[in-house]
Amino acid sequence: MLYKTKFGDMDINDDQIITFENGIPGFPNLRKFILLARESDNPIHWLVSLENEFVAFPIVNPWIVCVDYSLNLSHLDIQELNIENQSDLNIWAILTIKDDPSQATINLLAPIVVNLKNRKAKQIIQEESNYSVRHLVKDEVEKSKKIIENSKTGSG
């Protein structure tokens, strides 16, 4: 089926569609999305709405930015996404990219969890974590570099 998206008209098969049964916070009426990987944007991918041609979110694997990132799924999350195996999951964090890319932030509080097996997805708010919706990407990358270096030297 042909969809109008932020990236132009796209011919999308049903098996490519990711469904957010309850929408995304702030966009409760948008339920159908695709994951778009463009080589020119790597490692950034796009969560592209198929119901509003003006909506697409830049997303990234949170562990690329924050090596010690942790995610806790509740029993409700596991049930709603019908998760049977952790290897079926794809985890993403939404980026906010400003005019000055050095001020880009990442939302570590509310990752996007996609069950690739059934194509169900949910933005999960980790209420009992210390994460926020705006971590400076450059700060998280620097922290991650130190963690990696300390693990190599055995310090820290």
Side-chain angles (χ1 to χ4, degrees), residues 118-155:
N118 59 21
R119 313 296 291 175
K120 287 185 175 182
K122 182 178 180 183
Q123 186 171 23
I124 293 173
I125 299 171
Q126 301 191 89
E127 294 175 1
E128 296 182 18
S129 76
N130 291 323
Y131 295 120
S132 76
V133 296
R134 288 190 191 92
H135 293 260
L136 272 175
V137 169
K138 67 180 180 183
D139 289 350
E140 293 301 322
V141 168
E142 283 305 312
K143 278 197 276 184
S144 292
K145 285 180 183 176
K146 288 178 184 170
I147 290 169
I148 292 169
E149 188 60 36
N150 288 342
S151 71
K152 288 179 182 175
T153 62
S155 64

Side-chain angles (χ1 to χ4, degrees), residues 87-99:
S87 65
D88 295 331
L89 299 181
N90 222 314
I91 313 297
W92 301 97
I94 295 177
L95 296 169
T96 300
I97 303 170
K98 316 236 177 181
D99 290 340

Side-chain angles (χ1 to χ4, degrees), residues 3-130:
Y3 292 91
K4 287 189 178 295
T5 75
K6 188 167 185 159
F7 295 95
D9 292 344
M10 299 178 78
D11 191 15
I12 305 294
N13 295 324
D14 286 346
D15 62 355
Q16 295 175 282
I17 297 173
I18 294 169
T19 303
F20 290 77
E21 291 186 351
N22 299 314
I24 295 177
F27 300 89
N29 297 327
L30 301 181
R31 299 196 168 135
K32 291 182 175 181
F33 288 83
I34 60 162
L35 292 172
L36 177 65
R38 300 185 335 160
E39 192 170 314
S40 60
D41 299 332
N42 193 28
I44 296 170
H45 289 60
W46 293 89
L47 184 65
V48 180
S49 173
L50 299 178
E51 298 166 312
N52 183 327
E53 66 184 292
F54 302 104
V55 175
F57 302 100
I59 56 176
V60 68
N61 176 326
W63 288 278
I64 289 176
V65 175
C66 181
V67 295
D68 62 345
Y69 183 64
S70 64
L71 170 66
N72 294 310
L73 298 175
S74 70
H75 288 293
L76 179 62
D77 298 329
I78 292 168
Q79 285 179 335
E80 287 181 353
L81 294 173
N82 298 108
I83 298 169
E84 295 175 358
N85 192 332
Q86 215 170 2
S87 65
D88 295 331
L89 299 181
N90 222 314
I91 313 297
W92 301 97
I94 295 177
L95 296 169
T96 300
I97 303 170
K98 316 236 177 181
D99 290 340
D100 177 1
S102 71
Q103 298 303 305
T105 60
I106 183 169
N107 179 347
L108 296 174
L109 178 67
I112 303 290
V113 178
V114 180
N115 184 346
L116 296 173
K117 193 171 180 181
N118 59 21
R119 313 296 291 175
K120 287 185 175 182
K122 182 178 180 183
Q123 186 171 23
I124 293 173
I125 299 171
Q126 301 191 89
E127 294 175 1
E128 296 182 18
S129 76
N130 291 323

